Amino acid sequence: MYNHKKVESKWQQKWEESGVYKNYSKEKKFYALDMFPYPSGAGLHVGHPKGYIATDVYSRFMMLNGYSVLHPIGWDAFGLPAENYALENKVHPRAAVEKNIAVFKKQLKKFGFTYDWDREINTTDPEYYKWTQWIFLKMFERGLAYESDKPINWCPKCKTGLANEDLENGLCERCGTKIEQKKMRQWVLKMTEYADRLLYDLDKEKLDWEDSILSQQKNWIGRSEGVEFELKIKNYELGIKVYTTRIDTVFGMTYAVVSPEHKLIDELGDKIENLGEVKKYIENANKKTELERTELQKEKTGVELKGIKAVNPFNNEEIPLFVADYVLGYYGTGAVMAVPAHDERDWEFAKKYNLSIKHVVEPDYNKFNTKDIFFSSAIKKRESLNFKDSAIETLKYQYSIVRKCQSTNVFCYIGKDGILLNSGKYSGMTSEKAREEMAKWLEKKGAGKKKVNYKMRDWVFSRQRYWGEPIPIIHCEKCAEKKEQVLILHGWEDNSKAGFIPELRKNLESKGYETFAFDAPNTDEPDFDEWFSFIEKKIKTHNLKGFHLVGHSMGGHLALKLAEKYKLESLTLVAPVGFQSPDEYFNQFSGEMDKKELSIFKKFQDRKLNIKKVKDNTGKMYFVFGKKDPWITSEIRNYYIDNFKETAEIAVLENYGHMSADENIKKVDFIENLFKVSTPGVIPVPEKDLPLELPEVEGYEPTGTGEGPLAKITDWVNIKCPKCGGPAKRETNTMPQWAGSSWYYLRYIDPKNKKELVDKKEEKEWMPVDLYVGGAEHATRHLLYARFWHKFLYDIGAVSTKEPFKRLVHVGLINAEDGRKMSKRWHNVINPDDIIEAYGADSIRLYEMFMGPFTQSIAWSAEGVKGVRRFLDKVWNLFESKKFVECGGSCQDVPKEIPPSLHKTIKKVTEDISSMRFNTAISQMMIFVNLVSAADTVPRAAMEKFLIILSPFAPHIAEELWSKLGNKTGILKEKWPEYNPAMVKDEIINLVIQVNSKTRDTIEAPADINEEDAVKFARESEKIKKWIEGKEVVKIIFVKGRLLNIVAKQIIKTTI
RNA sequence: GCCCGGGUGGUGGAAUUGGUAGACACGCGGGAUUCAAAAUCCCGUUCUCGCGAGAGAGUGAGGGUUCAAGUCCCUCCCCGGGCACCA
């Protein structure tokens, strides 16, 4: 009898002692990753480990195939669930988390997984979240983390703001409470800046992800291509921008709508005749929760702005303007053109308020094979719109449906492609063409342009809760009041009034900056030392301290040298010249410069730069280059990119040159943009002070005030400003649960590194993750967030790949036997501990892989577990009872079917593990074992190979039998067996004989039988004779190695 | 409404490029073993008709392409998941 308890604990102990999994010295690598668990209070149920089993099978498979396998595990333990659990059970979240982790760990260890526990990580460990905070600071530096006070989703029960990704049908994903829109200060990550790249890299060519998850993410990002254009307001110098994807229907616009949040209402003020009514409507709309706005979507409401008309730029028609809450403030421009004939929502609204409907696109009938196909769907659509004013039954028979309905103004054709009518010069064009042409026309006129929009919004990143990473930010009032100083340095033969400098100063001063720009001496023959001491004097006389520095060209060089000496708030370099560039670099300008000029140019740059000092002294860094710059060639550019890519934001602009006086002043935009991100008074915690530890606190109940519970700890909150030394306050919001999990896979690679988030060399060695397994519920949250962070880390040079997860497979759920979800509430939870106790870890491993296709949700079956245990017993008994023989080429006593079956099994198991079809791999092993069980004598070598391919699924029993065979080294040290292709092919096959495509007989035949012989055999068969007798054979189809199909027809006897 | 999956015995599910539908397992029926039960082993198990050989039907429904369709095409129904007033 197989004693699983004894065998499993014995080997688990031995494996752990020998560290057999931690073999990282092989040439090829494989990184297998599980979505790390959230250690909840309930412990594991049998559904949780399914994915872990799969990665473990895969990891062992890869180890046996000679790979170094990284297979780590850790804990994702910050966030609301742990905190809510702690609140309910009146314990500290840390204590709860620690206790839960201990339980989870004990449970997981019983499975015999190949985890390297030395790499265990925990997101709540300060040594870990130090780097979560570090990433946040880097984002803040680059303007990707910003404060906003726009309305956000607020959960009144959890008392915290939430990201869009945290909602389910307008309810809080955690507690099911209705979400409110609340205006409050919050931290937001600019995820939309990455929308394009997040979408573009979601490509089957680049990522081996399942279609369902790819499409879910694509939908979430929600890219749409359209046109943004302006509708002028009649009699006023005002306009509203609208966004549409259907500009081809613009001649059908009969009114326009702005959202309740739209600024136009305030701009027009009492020019709106019914302002009171309008304001009342807006007030009511704002009171609605997100849910109410969706629940009430059937009834559209709105109010006309009386006395106000908008003008359609295409035909100068004047149209009424409405405010209505079916238009969303946060998408597009917050205003739309309404075309009731071709948009269902506008159609509903127009019907209700009796607005005119103008039909401008009809279907392209040539595209439909039959009119019936088109009209059946058209009629369906009409039915769904409660179309009652005409008899559908009669319409079904009338192909003149379109014209008829046109005259009654009710037909809607909603298709994206059609032919335009009633559209001026665009009439007769296809929709597609018209969209192109109309966009061109608008662009030419300067009234609009093509625009891409995304549904995805920026990530609301702050939580007004306790149990999360503190956001490492300090608010300083004194710094907020202080004027920021900006010093701008010009270049060779330039001055402070030329180029982009005056425009930049104007822009910055209007934003409250104090700017300085001076004319350097001898700009014809600049001498570095002269310029340097000149500027130092100016810094002293104007008392510049902690200022921003901008330098262009040679001024950029100067700026860098100043940065070695002075503490800078920020450093912006526009096309800076280089440092000690090689002679070849200067020689290439000998055509443009004479000897004297060349020597001035060279001498100015003839010094070294202390890069470390610059980095230490400088806050944010922005480098801007033009790709068409004749002076700053790619070699100079690369010098800066190589040395500063981790600390500086570097932009290389396609169509720009040296960006000096001769270039368009507009180019100042990009420099000015760089200053937008610095909000005065918002001070990052200095990197050296990380981790900013979460302080202990008496009560961590949420306050509901918009401040986190941390606000109550005054001696933590009140702090000296690291910038000015004055009194300042810490940020009291914490990060959301999804922060720590957005980069954890990197930390496993180098979990104890104190200097870096991950060692560069190690990162390059292990990334990307080769196989990532986890639940599909993370498709639009964790996986999106992690990809976003990863791309950011790529941009700052912290990681070497653009995408983190090469192959992603989602694990199907395990439901309870009653078909419901496993839940405490239903009392149907199955604890893996009990299954392991009764049947062993190998049984649960094998069962969960055998129960069905891996990605599919399937109900648990107690009987099923018994079944696979029966299989394991059979394997065990095989090794107890059979006679094992050594045989080289052939053995007489061994049934001849065994070797081919073994090779088929090796082939199938190899292929099926690779494609994650574990269920069929196991069934093939069962077939093999059934065959072997029937024999008395078995070849030892075959059984050894079988144990190796069984071992990824059932490692304990395989290892035990392996050692019982007398092997001294562990089974994981073995090589995965290869199959012999010749053995896999059957020599004798059952050739199927069909008559008129119905199988009537099968004959045993050599696999390579040709058509002629097959027909001969077939004709000899009594069964076949019976079916073709008296018939004429009209055709013979022969599929080699498979079947023969005789097509025979009844002979029709004709009598004359 | 839109976007992804999926629909095969009593159950979980197999089925290469279209080529014997139901592998493997569970359950069930029968038998062996046992004082008996559990466990184990053997046989059977898509449905209908038939003692049987065998015949017919059959992969959600209907239609089509083909010598041949679970597989490809069209229309529709149902189930699961995601999104949802995104202009």
Side-chain angles (χ1 to χ4, degrees):
Chain A
M1 259 306 276
Y2 170 50
N3 183 336
H4 62 263
K5 282 189 206 167
K6 229 171 101 186
V7 169
E8 288 180 353
S9 65
K10 167 178 147 195
W11 287 110
Q12 279 169 17
Q13 206 182 327
K14 286 206 177 187
W15 291 333
E16 186 147 356
E17 279 164 15
S18 68
V20 64
Y21 315 134
K22 299 173 209 168
N23 185 348
Y24 300 123
S25 58
K26 309 261 181 62
E27 236 176 73
K28 299 177 285 181
K29 69 95 184 181
F30 191 84
Y31 186 175
L33 181 66
D34 294 306
M35 286 185 190
F36 63 164
Y38 197 100
S40 73
L44 288 174
H45 68 61
V46 288
H48 296 117
K50 187 175 163 191
Y52 310 154
I53 296 170
T55 49
D56 197 60
V57 169
Y58 215 108
S59 294
R60 287 175 181 271
F61 172 67
M62 293 312 274
M63 286 173 189
L64 287 161
N65 275 291
Y67 284 78
S68 292
V69 176
L70 180 60
H71 186 212
I73 192 77
W75 316 102
D76 181 19
F78 265 138
L80 286 180
E83 186 172 324
N84 287 341
Y85 174 87
L87 277 171
E88 263 166 46
N89 295 277
K90 306 242 181 292
V91 287
H92 191 280
R94 181 170 305 286
V97 159
E98 269 166 23
K99 194 181 125 225
N100 293 346
I101 287 178
V103 173
F104 268 59
K105 199 165 168 178
K106 200 174 151 212
Q107 284 186 298
L108 284 180
K109 285 211 167 185
K110 288 189 197 164
F111 279 84
F113 291 140
T114 54
Y115 290 136
D116 180 348
W117 287 101
D118 292 345
R119 292 173 186 261
E120 177 182 358
I121 56 167
N122 177 344
T123 55
T124 66
D125 177 355
E127 283 307 305
Y128 178 89
Y129 68 70
K130 171 181 176 179
W131 298 103
T132 313
Q133 292 171 329
W134 181 84
I135 296 170
F136 178 86
L137 284 183
K138 290 287 148 190
M139 288 192 163
F140 175 76
E141 265 173 32
R142 283 164 193 245
L144 288 166
Y146 63 97
E147 281 179 287
S148 152
D149 54 8
K150 293 208 183 105
I152 54 153
N153 308 304
W154 170 263
C155 172
K157 191 170 169 208
C158 295
K159 293 186 181 150
T160 184
L162 294 170
N164 238 24
E165 286 81 7
D166 293 323
L167 311 189
E168 261 174 22
N169 288 324
L171 303 176
C172 170
E173 177 258 351
R174 291 249 52 96
C175 66
T177 309
K178 277 189 194 176
I179 292 300
E180 294 169 3
Q181 294 298 304
K182 191 167 174 174
K183 237 182 173 175
M184 61 185 293
R185 180 194 70 91
Q186 82 266 191
W187 282 93
V188 181
L189 300 187
K190 220 182 214 170
M191 190 153 62
T192 49
E193 188 139 320
Y194 282 73
D196 226 353
R197 284 162 68 191
L198 287 168
L199 184 71
Y200 177 74
D201 287 339
L202 276 181
D203 184 347
K204 264 259 155 194
E205 302 276 302
K206 301 177 199 162
L207 295 181
D208 185 6
W209 286 26
E210 282 166 56
D211 289 333
S212 61
I213 295 184
L214 284 180
S215 84
Q216 258 186 65
Q217 239 183 60
K218 280 181 191 166
N219 287 343
W220 188 266
I221 295 167
R223 182 191 155 96
S224 81
E225 286 178 21
V227 170
E228 193 178 290
F229 68 101
E230 198 178 44
L231 300 175
K232 292 259 183 258
I233 305 298
K234 200 192 156 193
N235 297 335
Y236 300 103
E237 286 293 301
L238 279 172
I240 50 164
K241 281 189 172 166
V242 295
Y243 176 74
T244 179
T245 56
R246 291 298 309 276
I247 190 71
D248 53 310
T249 64
V250 72
F251 281 83
M253 166 166 40
T254 53
Y255 65 105
V257 191
V258 297
S259 65
E261 295 87 348
H262 203 279
K263 63 173 194 239
L264 182 81
I265 314 284
D266 286 335
E267 284 175 356
L268 285 169
D270 50 19
K271 282 154 193 154
I272 303 168
E273 287 166 11
N274 56 342
L275 187 64
E277 191 190 356
V278 169
K279 284 226 158 136
K280 207 172 151 205
Y281 177 79
I282 294 172
E283 210 174 287
N284 275 331
N286 287 342
K287 262 193 227 151
K288 288 185 196 171
T289 63
E290 178 98 347
L291 189 73
E292 279 162 345
R293 254 173 108 153
T294 31
E295 263 180 356
L296 299 169
Q297 66 173 273
K298 282 163 232 151
E299 255 317 274
K300 291 203 171 18
T301 58
V303 174
E304 187 178 351
L305 307 182
K306 294 261 167 69
I308 305 295
K309 294 280 177 208
V311 181
N312 183 341
F314 281 84
N315 55 11
N316 295 319
E317 249 173 50
E318 289 170 19
I319 51 173
L321 194 58
F322 285 79
V323 57
D325 69 357
Y326 81 92
V327 170
L328 305 167
Y330 48 76
Y331 184 77
T333 59
V336 299
M337 69 174 203
V339 184
H342 305 289
D343 182 282
E344 288 187 55
R345 296 153 300 183
D346 297 342
W347 190 83
E348 269 178 58
F349 191 81
K351 274 271 152 193
K352 183 167 170 187
Y353 293 98
N354 228 349
L355 299 158
S356 66
I357 296 167
K358 197 176 153 199
H359 185 82
V360 292
V361 182
E362 64 178 358
D364 181 356
Y365 295 111
N366 299 324
K367 278 200 169 168
F368 297 97
N369 292 336
T370 69
K371 293 202 167 186
D372 299 305
I373 292 174
F374 167 70
F375 284 113
S376 68
S377 58
I379 287 163
K380 246 190 102 171
K381 201 114 237 181
R382 293 158 60 76
E383 278 167 338
S384 74
L385 295 171
N386 288 322
F387 182 82
K388 283 191 185 116
D389 50 351
S390 182
I392 287 164
E393 281 309 308
T394 58
L395 291 177
K396 280 181 184 168
Y397 299 102
Q398 290 178 349
Y399 286 141
S400 58
I401 178 170
V402 171
R403 200 154 304 146
K404 193 154 193 171
C405 293
Q406 225 174 289
S407 61
T408 55
N409 269 345
V410 283
F411 178 70
C412 295
Y413 172 61
I414 299 168
K416 274 220 150 193
D417 43 341
I419 306 284
L420 271 70
L421 61 147
N422 300 330
S423 298
K425 63 174 176 178
Y426 302 96
S427 297
M429 266 187 208
T430 63
S431 289
E432 203 187 344
K433 180 98 194 288
R435 283 196 282 269
E436 273 307 309
E437 295 297 319
M438 287 170 164
K440 266 191 210 159
W441 183 83
L442 280 168
E443 229 157 288
K444 218 168 134 192
K445 217 185 146 206
K449 54 174 194 256
K450 282 195 174 177
K451 175 109 195 265
V452 170
N453 258 329
Y454 297 95
K455 275 198 244 178
M456 188 178 81
R457 285 186 261 166
D458 281 344
W459 177 5
V460 173
F461 194 68
S462 44
R463 299 289 177 272
Q464 292 70 47
R465 299 285 300 233
Y466 172 70
W467 192 234
E469 300 88 344
I471 292 178
I473 291 289
I474 292 159
H475 300 273
C476 172
E477 275 183 34
K478 207 174 142 201
C479 288
E481 282 164 14
K482 194 193 128 200
K483 277 215 166 181
E484 303 262 331
Q485 299 166 317
V486 185
L487 174 60
I488 308 169
L489 307 175
H490 63 77
W492 193 359
E493 291 182 340
D494 226 339
N495 63 59
S496 64
K497 282 154 205 84
F500 58 74
I501 295 175
E503 189 74 7
L504 177 61
R505 292 184 72 177
K506 206 174 98 194
N507 286 348
L508 289 174
E509 300 221 342
S510 73
K511 294 209 162 66
Y513 288 86
E514 195 177 357
T515 68
F516 302 87
F518 309 101
D519 294 332
N522 291 322
T523 51
D524 300 352
E525 293 178 33
D527 175 77
F528 177 82
D529 295 326
E530 196 184 358
W531 279 24
F532 195 83
S533 57
F534 168 77
I535 281 300
E536 283 210 282
K537 245 184 246 161
K538 292 288 182 193
I539 289 172
K540 211 172 164 190
T541 49
H542 289 90
N543 196 21
L544 295 178
K545 250 190 196 155
F547 53 99
H548 300 268
L549 185 54
V550 181
H552 172 244
S553 192
M554 280 181 166
H557 183 98
L558 190 63
L560 277 158
K561 289 305 284 184
L562 286 167
E564 283 179 1
K565 207 168 159 186
Y566 293 90
K567 281 264 173 214
L568 296 178
E569 194 59 27
S570 80
L571 174 62
T572 302
L573 301 177
V574 183
V577 296
F579 282 81
Q580 287 189 331
S581 303
D583 285 341
E584 301 91 77
Y585 167 76
F586 293 101
N587 289 344
Q588 61 187 309
F589 305 118
S590 51
E592 282 110 299
M593 295 190 207
D594 61 30
K595 265 199 181 145
K596 192 183 159 199
E597 286 174 321
L598 205 58
S599 113
I600 293 169
F601 191 50
K602 190 172 172 183
K603 197 180 154 223
F604 197 96
Q605 303 176 44
D606 191 22
R607 59 191 51 73
K608 276 195 159 178
L609 180 66
N610 188 331
I611 288 156
K612 197 183 167 287
K613 272 193 176 167
V614 171
K615 286 181 180 172
D616 288 348
N617 277 341
T618 309
K620 298 168 195 170
M621 287 187 214
Y622 308 103
F623 297 176
V624 185
F625 301 94
K627 242 194 179 159
K628 292 183 177 162
D629 192 335
W631 310 109
I632 314 303
T633 57
S634 59
E635 49 192 316
I636 305 284
R637 219 156 67 208
N638 288 341
Y639 167 83
Y640 290 113
I641 293 174
D642 292 347
N643 286 303
F644 289 97
K645 65 177 176 237
E646 286 113 63
T647 40
E649 187 173 323
I650 301 171
V652 181
L653 305 172
E654 276 303 323
N655 294 312
Y656 291 82
H658 195 52
M659 291 174 272
S660 47
D662 55 327
E663 294 200 35
N664 195 326
I665 203 73
K666 263 192 192 165
K667 285 162 195 165
V668 81
D669 281 357
F670 60 79
I671 310 172
E672 191 247 341
N673 268 339
L674 302 176
F675 288 89
K676 268 190 196 160
V677 299
S678 100
T679 315
V682 179
I683 318 292
V685 169
E687 246 176 66
K688 64 172 171 46
D689 294 343
L690 297 184
L692 171 58
E693 290 202 35
L694 186 59
E696 293 302 319
V697 56
E698 280 293 313
Y700 41 81
E701 285 80 3
T703 61
T705 59
E707 288 292 322
L710 294 177
K712 285 181 275 187
I713 320 170
T714 45
D715 56 345
W716 182 80
V717 170
N718 292 319
I719 186 187
K720 246 197 196 165
C721 171
K723 200 170 147 193
C724 71
K729 282 187 186 318
R730 284 193 190 278
E731 172 65 56
T732 61
N733 283 335
T734 53
M735 298 190 196
Q737 192 198 325
W738 308 97
S741 60
S742 292
W743 71 281
Y744 74 109
Y745 54 92
L746 293 168
R747 193 61 180 171
Y748 285 134
I749 293 169
D750 193 10
K752 297 189 173 79
N753 194 330
K754 296 221 173 215
K755 290 194 200 122
E756 279 176 294
L757 174 152
V758 56
D759 178 75
K760 295 242 161 40
K761 208 176 128 240
E762 296 270 320
E763 184 277 334
K764 213 162 186 170
E765 230 171 276
W766 285 107
M767 285 302 285
V769 172
D770 295 281
L771 174 65
Y772 195 19
V773 174
E777 70 273 19
H778 293 115
T780 50
R781 267 202 281 189
H782 160 60
L783 285 169
L784 195 66
Y785 293 154
R787 290 183 62 228
F788 163 45
W789 279 38
H790 193 86
K791 285 187 183 303
F792 169 73
L793 291 172
Y794 175 79
D795 288 350
I796 63 169
V799 299
S800 60
T801 64
K802 290 187 180 175
E803 283 288 331
F805 315 121
K806 202 161 95 194
R807 183 176 181 195
L808 176 77
V809 179
H810 96 260
V811 50
L813 296 173
I814 296 181
N815 291 324
E817 256 176 309
D818 56 15
R820 291 189 289 205
K821 256 177 123 161
M822 270 190 203
S823 152
K824 255 189 188 166
R825 191 167 145 210
W826 305 116
H827 301 287
N828 56 10
V829 177
I830 301 198
N831 188 328
D833 296 352
D834 301 336
I835 305 297
I836 290 174
E837 173 76 14
Y839 303 103
D842 284 345
S843 292
I844 191 170
R845 289 174 65 115
L846 205 60
Y847 173 64
E848 294 201 3
M849 293 300 96
F850 181 62
M851 61 198 300
F854 179 66
T855 60
Q856 195 172 306
S857 297
I858 299 168
W860 179 262
S861 155
E863 294 300 330
V865 188
K866 283 191 203 167
V868 294
R869 168 63 200 230
R870 224 171 279 169
F871 166 71
L872 290 177
D873 284 333
K874 219 168 180 175
V875 172
W876 181 265
N877 293 336
L878 217 57
F879 282 80
E880 297 274 280
S881 62
K882 302 292 174 192
K883 192 176 153 201
F884 278 55
V885 290
E886 310 282 347
C887 39
S890 63
C891 326
Q892 295 294 313
D893 303 334
V894 174
K896 65 178 193 308
E897 297 85 12
I898 288 182
S901 178
L902 174 74
H903 285 266
K904 274 185 202 169
T905 305
I906 295 169
K907 178 172 193 275
K908 182 119 182 88
V909 173
T910 310
E911 290 170 357
D912 284 357
I913 292 178
S914 305
S915 53
M916 312 278 289
R917 292 189 311 232
F918 306 111
N919 54 333
T920 48
I922 293 167
S923 100
Q924 180 61 38
M925 288 193 283
M926 286 173 168
I927 291 170
F928 176 73
V929 167
N930 287 345
L931 180 74
V932 173
S933 298
D936 298 321
T937 311
V938 292
R940 180 197 157 93
M943 295 317 289
E944 286 198 343
K945 284 184 179 169
F946 170 73
L947 283 182
I948 297 172
I949 62 170
L950 175 69
S951 71
F953 295 94
H956 307 89
I957 193 172
E959 189 83 84
E960 176 71 10
L961 292 169
W962 182 256
S963 89
K964 282 182 87 164
L965 284 177
N967 292 296
K968 292 282 176 280
T969 51
I971 200 164
L972 262 183
K973 300 247 154 126
E974 291 304 307
K975 262 194 78 177
W976 189 258
E978 283 180 19
Y979 63 89
N980 178 353
M983 292 281 251
V984 172
K985 277 206 154 174
D986 289 315
E987 282 172 29
I988 305 291
I989 53 148
N990 281 324
L991 186 75
V992 173
I993 315 285
Q994 300 181 329
V995 178
N996 291 336
S997 307
K998 286 207 153 104
T999 304
R1000 297 302 179 188
D1001 196 9
T1002 58
I1003 52 172
E1004 277 199 1
D1008 58 351
I1009 186 169
N1010 60 25
E1011 179 170 349
E1012 203 181 320
D1013 291 339
V1015 173
K1016 208 174 87 195
F1017 280 126
R1019 286 196 185 275
E1020 280 164 15
S1021 157
E1022 289 301 322
K1023 289 177 187 168
I1024 299 302
K1025 272 185 193 166
K1026 199 171 99 187
W1027 289 98
I1028 57 176
E1029 223 159 56
K1031 286 178 187 164
E1032 185 193 359
V1033 174
V1034 290
K1035 201 171 181 183
I1036 286 177
I1037 283 113
F1038 178 70
V1039 183
K1040 198 165 182 184
R1042 277 197 195 278
L1043 64 70
L1044 179 75
N1045 187 7
I1046 300 168
V1047 185
K1049 254 206 306 210
Q1050 196 74 46
I1051 298 168
I1052 300 159
K1053 284 176 191 160
T1054 46
T1055 43
I1056 301 164

